[in-house]
Amino acid sequence: MPGRWIYHFGDGVADGGRGDADLLGGKGANLAEMVSIGVPVPPGFTITTEACRAYLAHGALPDGLEAEVDEHLALLERQTGRTFGSGPDPLLVSVRSGAAASMPGMMDTILNLGLNQDTVVALAGAARDERFAWDAYRRFVQMHADVVLGVPARAFEERLRAGRERLGVATDADLTAVELRSITEDFFAIVAAATGCEFPADPRGQLTLAIEAVFGSWNTERARSYRRVARIPEHLGTAVSVVAMVFGNLGATSGTGVAFTRNPATGERRLFGEFLVNAQGEDVVAGTRDPLALDAMADALPEAYGELRRVAESLERHYGDVQDIEFTVERGRLYLLQTRTAKRTAAAAVRAAVEMVDEGVLEEADALLRVDPDQLDQLLHPRLDPAAEARPLATGLPASPGAVAGRIVVTAESAVEWAARGEQVILVREETSPEDFDGMVAARGILTARGGMTSHAAVVARGLGLCCVAGASSVRTREDPRSVSVGEHEFSEGDWITLDGSTGEIFAGRVPTTDPEPSEHFDRLMAWADRERRLGVRANADTPADAIRARAFGAEGIGLCRTEHMFFEGERIDTVREMILAPDDGARQRALDRLLPMQREDFAGIFRAMDGLPVTVRLLDPPLHEFLPGAPEEVDALAQRLGRDPVELRGRLGRLRESNPMLGHRGVRLGTTFPAISRMQARALFEAAVDAVGKGVSVRPEVMIPLVAIAEEYTRQMTLVRDVAESVMQASGVRIDYLVGTMIELPRAALTAGRIAADADFFSFGTNDLTQTTFGLSRDDAGSFLPFYVEQGLLEHDPFRTIDLEGVGELVCIAVERGRAARPGLKLGVCGEHGGDPRSIDFFHRTGLDYVSCSPFRVPAARLAAARASLGDRTRPVSQG
């Protein structure tokens, strides 16, 4: 048991402060901090997250907690001059939840706790306002019954509506004392009917129930869901803040509101928020009254407004960040009830951080720590209009960011046809394959029922810059008739839907979107990040268009060019299939001869786009089944195009089928058994490099051999590549500086990295496959159970999104250590999906890698994350909640 469960604040003295968010929650830590710096805060106390964890572990309040609550209630009585649960001027308190990180989904605030049939009469006398006292009592009963006793709120709202209608008034603020007393009595009856028990009348018992409800709210489904999305650890728990009530509903000189120190949508330096006269806190957000713009407070309560402006500016400078403030004015006196780091759009976060540097509030390094790298996607892709009111039908995986509305199409052919007519379309498939490539290019967005964050749909969409939601299990497609169902909602081809690839949400109809608006503030922030970071940032790019986009976003080269993606379009796919299905070496070579100029043209375009920067080209890697047709009619059509007997072709396809193709005949194994494929690719690469040099382009090719498990596999392919390179250079008379290395994506490769490094110029960690092979699970199928593992605490996060430090990360460390021990100058990078994940980037920085590579649109986020990793803990701000 810890030494204490409770920390007090009030009268200018506070236990704890802003550095204690893990113990006191963000709310409790900030209340204590504000008291310490002289901000007007009602006195109170905070029950720690340790108490919450003990309660959740044992199902009961920990020993000693109730006694400490009594001690601190007594202290609160001395500070306020009021008595809890009795006396002529009774003490009432609010009860609030507060985790270390601001987290919607936990228990709502309870106001006016401590009222019963006796104290409500005393409160009316002390305030000289019977209506105020009964309004406070009905609010308390309604909130306590809803959030603590679990009585549905609808019955209470219906009774309030009936009261307004009977009196002919528009708002609850117009209800009389008599009507409010009648409503409260009816509320008691509603509680008794719903629970079988009387509403608790003992204030001390009310408080215990509220504390237990706050602790229990940590494990509600909506709180768990938010933690999964926000990647907040499950074990933290929540604190409880118990604060002496101050009242904003004591007449025309009282009020309540919410204020942001800057506009949370734009970042403009201007006090922004909403305010109500003669109201309590929930009135501002409940929608029962239309709040006023905060500027109106200057006329209604000018002295309190002036003090609010001064306090808000002081808090922003103290915390060095935009603040979200809750306040109450009681008969002209201002009290702050909460301050926390404001949630804001990416544009607002960037503008505020940069302008705070100009204002002298922040240093440049501090500004880099005020912007979440994951937010930067908002600045590069369209996003849903924040003002739009839309409820998602379902949620899948946020596979490729952005927001888009389009007409549903269920086949690639339909996508091409509809797009040719000028329609915006969203391709909806159970899952995509190379057959769908033309349709994917024609579409504005992609939605799949199956597949994970590294599925075919997800990878291609990110490369093309398309919005994609993958693995939405409630989606079903039908081609006859062409229709789609999303849960219980039915759509026909041509109906409109909207996707949010940043959240994975799916909406019916056309939800408005807003276009990205890069700014001077963004450019300045990125320049600061580039000066601070040590890690290089490259892009995964497979086409010249990808390369141009990547360079525009600040990529310093290409860390992964997946040559197989060059084969998925047009007539190329049939030529590849002809090569794979060739009956003999001669037929295979003829197909390769036709592919060579296609590859050479693509490589030449990429070299031109990346003039002067390194380009890492991965030799053919994916399993053969990704290129091959599946449906019988597709096989027959291919046989006709190739002039082959359909029966013979089906037999050949049958012999090539693999039980587990992702662990089968792919990568270096394909190049080893069919070396002609590797020779063709190497020749195309070096001939393109020679051609580019002749046109004044500076080329820096790096050839990457994939899926190596045995050092001898790598050596054999490396020798082949160098032989082809030498042949091309001798024939042309042009010398090219180039590197040959490998992708470390198998545990055996990591463990034998010392042997492989003997002949390797570089390692690039393919963390997608390394995660897959380390865990022994398919990344495309894992979406069916990984969320459950995260929810249950078996895994802290999805290992395909953020690198698994204990397993995959340890293998990376082993490979780095053994590789550089064998070859001290070994260049090290990462090109898996983790290369764009900020938490993983921090690990790669600490592990000593030279660069990360990610999709083009993730490049700015990676640049910022790399800078923050370099800064480490030097200036990292304490979590404010």
Side-chain angles (χ1 to χ4, degrees):
M1 171 180 167
R4 60 195 294 195
W5 296 116
I6 296 178
Y7 288 67
H8 195 86
F9 56 86
D11 284 352
V13 178
D15 299 331
R18 64 189 291 190
D20 297 308
D22 286 345
L23 180 67
L24 304 179
K27 191 176 279 93
N30 289 329
L31 286 168
E33 184 77 8
M34 285 192 290
V35 168
S36 298
I37 63 175
V39 172
V41 173
F45 56 88
T46 297
I47 305 171
T48 66
T49 58
E50 290 177 337
C52 175
R53 291 192 291 273
Y55 174 83
L56 295 176
H58 302 291
L61 295 179
D63 292 341
L65 176 59
E66 292 276 37
E68 280 193 56
V69 169
D70 290 336
E71 291 175 13
H72 285 274
L73 280 173
L75 176 57
L76 205 54
E77 289 174 335
R78 291 195 294 274
Q79 288 179 318
T80 60
R82 298 170 177 171
T83 304
F84 184 67
S86 63
D89 190 5
L91 170 66
L92 305 184
V93 297
S94 65
V95 180
R96 298 171 177 243
S97 60
S102 178
M103 200 183 82
M106 293 190 303
M107 195 197 78
D108 298 323
T109 296
I110 295 177
L111 303 178
N112 310 324
L113 189 145
L115 283 171
N116 57 24
Q117 297 286 9
D118 296 327
T119 55
V120 69
V121 175
L123 181 66
R128 297 186 298 279
D129 188 335
E130 186 179 11
R131 187 208 169 277
F132 155 73
W134 281 101
D135 183 45
Y137 198 10
R138 77 88 188 163
R139 288 172 186 268
F140 166 60
V141 174
Q142 184 175 354
M143 284 186 280
H144 193 83
D146 178 14
V147 301
V148 175
L149 304 180
V151 181
R154 179 177 299 177
F156 302 112
E157 293 297 338
E158 289 176 353
R159 177 61 184 87
L160 281 166
R161 178 173 50 79
R164 293 192 299 269
E165 291 176 353
R166 181 163 53 247
L167 296 183
V169 298
T171 71
D172 296 342
D174 299 316
L175 294 171
T176 65
V178 172
E179 182 63 24
L180 286 167
R181 181 170 186 165
S182 175
I183 288 171
T184 306
E185 296 293 343
D186 288 344
F187 280 5
F188 292 144
I190 292 170
V191 171
T195 66
C197 301
E198 298 297 316
F199 186 85
D202 173 39
R204 187 63 183 80
Q206 294 169 355
L207 181 57
T208 295
L209 288 173
I211 292 168
E212 291 180 329
V214 173
F215 288 161
S217 71
W218 177 256
N219 281 334
T220 61
E221 182 55 38
R222 59 178 181 161
R224 287 179 177 273
S225 296
Y226 184 84
R227 288 199 292 276
R228 283 197 298 272
V229 173
R231 295 192 279 187
I232 296 172
E234 287 287 323
H235 68 272
L236 295 179
T238 180
V240 183
S241 291
V242 179
V243 186
M245 280 296 304
V246 290
F247 300 99
N249 54 338
L250 275 170
T253 59
S254 302
T256 189
V258 175
F260 293 84
T261 54
R262 301 184 189 231
N263 188 310
T266 67
E268 178 188 5
R269 187 186 181 190
R270 179 172 172 267
L271 201 60
F272 177 91
E274 294 178 326
F275 168 75
L276 277 173
V277 175
N278 192 25
Q280 281 200 317
E282 87 262 20
D283 294 332
V284 177
V285 296
T288 55
R289 292 172 60 184
D290 293 330
L292 305 172
L294 191 60
D295 291 346
M297 186 179 168
D299 296 325
L301 300 169
E303 292 185 6
Y305 181 70
E307 186 178 4
L308 177 65
R309 288 178 59 92
R310 291 190 294 274
V311 170
E313 182 173 354
S314 173
L315 285 173
E316 184 177 89
R317 286 187 167 271
H318 180 75
Y319 282 105
D321 210 344
V322 184
Q323 296 299 290
D324 171 1
I325 298 166
E326 293 180 19
F327 66 90
T328 287
V329 180
E330 181 182 272
R331 290 177 171 165
R333 183 175 179 184
L334 175 72
Y335 293 93
L336 264 66
L337 310 179
Q338 174 171 285
T339 191
R340 61 186 174 187
T341 301
K343 304 288 186 184
R344 64 268 203 190
T345 66
V350 171
R351 176 177 174 178
V354 171
E355 290 187 353
M356 282 184 175
V357 172
D358 293 338
E359 295 159 13
V361 176
L362 298 177
E363 299 294 331
E364 291 176 1
D366 298 316
L368 296 173
L369 298 169
R370 297 303 187 270
V371 180
D372 182 353
D374 282 328
Q375 272 194 299
L376 294 185
D377 275 338
Q378 292 181 20
L379 301 179
L380 307 175
H381 295 274
R383 61 188 180 97
L384 295 183
D385 187 339
E389 296 183 2
R391 291 182 177 273
L393 301 178
T395 302
L397 297 173
S400 184
V404 65
R407 295 185 183 275
I408 291 171
V409 293
V410 297
T411 68
E413 293 77 14
S414 290
V416 173
E417 291 169 7
W418 284 69
R421 299 199 297 266
E423 297 282 1
Q424 299 179 11
V425 299
I426 290 177
L427 178 61
V428 184
R429 303 285 285 161
E430 290 294 313
E431 59 185 345
T432 62
S433 71
E435 298 286 340
D436 297 315
F437 187 80
D438 288 342
M440 298 170 80
V441 172
R444 297 287 301 276
I446 301 166
L447 170 62
T448 67
R450 297 197 299 271
M453 296 291 289
T454 53
S455 63
H456 178 267
V459 171
V460 172
R462 284 192 290 270
L464 295 173
L466 297 176
C467 170
C468 178
V469 175
S473 59
S474 64
V475 171
R476 295 290 181 269
T477 65
R478 293 173 292 276
E479 294 189 19
D480 186 19
R482 293 187 175 184
S483 60
V484 169
S485 62
V486 181
E488 298 178 354
H489 300 265
E490 297 290 334
F491 300 91
S492 298
E493 189 166 73
D495 290 344
W496 285 86
I497 61 169
T498 300
L499 306 180
D500 187 340
S502 300
T503 64
E505 292 175 323
I506 307 162
F507 302 85
R510 303 176 68 174
V511 180
T513 60
T514 58
D515 291 327
E517 297 180 2
S519 64
E520 177 189 352
H521 297 104
F522 175 80
D523 292 338
R524 290 178 64 192
L525 189 79
M526 288 293 98
W528 299 340
D530 291 340
R531 285 203 297 269
E532 198 68 50
R533 63 185 167 89
R534 179 193 63 77
L535 275 174
V537 178
R538 301 189 189 183
N540 301 340
D542 310 320
T543 67
D546 289 343
I548 291 169
R549 181 185 295 118
R551 191 159 193 166
F553 289 150
E556 299 165 311
I558 291 177
L560 176 62
C561 175
R562 294 156 289 205
T563 53
E564 59 272 8
H565 287 185
M566 300 173 175
F567 295 142
F568 286 154
E569 57 182 293
E571 65 182 57
R572 296 184 180 196
I573 187 68
D574 280 346
T575 308
V576 172
R577 288 168 170 170
E578 181 182 351
M579 181 267 293
I580 294 170
L581 298 169
D584 53 52
D585 290 344
R588 180 172 296 107
Q589 189 60 54
R590 287 190 292 274
L592 288 170
D593 289 344
R594 291 200 300 279
L595 287 172
L596 189 146
M598 302 175 191
Q599 286 256 278
R600 184 170 57 218
E601 179 184 354
D602 286 332
F603 289 143
I606 291 172
F607 285 139
R608 288 193 296 271
M610 304 306 289
D611 186 4
L613 298 178
V615 175
T616 304
V617 175
R618 184 179 71 185
L619 299 184
L620 197 64
D621 178 52
L624 298 182
H625 82 283
E626 290 196 7
F627 292 112
L628 300 177
E633 60 271 18
E634 294 174 350
V635 176
D636 290 343
L638 178 62
Q640 185 176 3
R641 290 196 298 272
L642 298 182
R644 300 273 290 274
D645 175 27
V647 175
E648 180 270 331
L649 194 63
R650 280 193 287 272
R652 175 69 174 154
L653 281 167
R655 291 190 293 276
L656 289 173
R657 297 291 179 197
E658 297 178 279
S659 298
N660 193 340
M662 294 304 293
L663 297 178
H665 196 187
R666 56 173 286 215
V668 71
R669 301 156 191 172
L670 186 65
T672 299
T673 54
F674 297 110
I677 298 175
S678 299
R679 289 196 191 95
M680 181 278 291
Q681 292 197 291
R683 181 164 297 278
L685 175 67
F686 287 103
E687 286 180 353
V690 167
D691 179 68
V693 169
K695 295 176 180 175
V697 176
S698 173
V699 298
R700 295 171 58 190
E702 301 176 354
V703 183
M704 183 159 66
I705 297 165
L707 212 72
V708 165
I710 306 165
E712 288 75 14
E713 285 178 314
Y714 170 75
T715 301
R716 183 175 296 190
Q717 284 282 288
M718 179 271 297
T719 301
L720 181 153
V721 169
R722 292 195 180 279
D723 287 346
V724 172
E726 189 60 32
S727 172
V728 171
M729 289 189 289
Q730 283 188 1
S732 65
V734 176
R735 304 303 300 179
I736 304 290
D737 289 330
Y738 69 95
L739 304 177
V740 182
T742 188
M743 207 171 187
I744 303 294
E745 49 194 326
L746 297 174
R748 192 181 194 281
L751 295 172
T752 60
R755 290 195 59 203
I756 296 172
D759 293 318
D761 296 320
F762 68 90
F763 285 171
S764 182
F765 290 95
T767 51
N768 298 347
D769 271 326
L770 189 56
T771 299
Q772 185 168 233
T773 53
T774 300
F775 275 90
L777 56 83
S778 164
R779 62 192 179 204
D780 290 337
D781 296 331
S784 64
F785 62 86
L786 272 184
F788 176 80
Y789 270 53
V790 175
E791 178 183 341
Q792 295 296 313
L794 296 171
L795 289 171
E796 184 176 343
H797 45 65
D798 182 342
F800 289 105
R801 294 183 62 188
T802 297
I803 196 161
D804 161 53
L805 296 180
E806 289 185 344
V808 179
E810 183 66 17
L811 287 170
V812 170
C813 291
I814 289 170
V816 168
E817 179 182 356
R818 296 180 183 179
R820 281 196 167 144
R823 194 178 182 111
L826 186 68
K827 183 189 293 187
L828 299 171
V830 60
C831 58
E833 290 296 314
H834 304 89
D837 172 66
R839 296 188 186 190
S840 304
I841 288 171
D842 185 72
F843 165 74
F844 298 136
H845 169 85
R846 290 184 284 106
T847 307
L849 271 60
D850 297 303
Y851 67 88
V852 296
S853 188
C854 55
S855 65
F857 284 97
R858 292 294 292 169
V859 165
R863 291 161 63 193
L864 178 57
R868 289 163 64 106
S870 288
L871 291 169
D873 296 326
R874 284 185 290 148
T875 55
R876 192 178 302 279
V878 174
S879 172
Q880 205 192 326

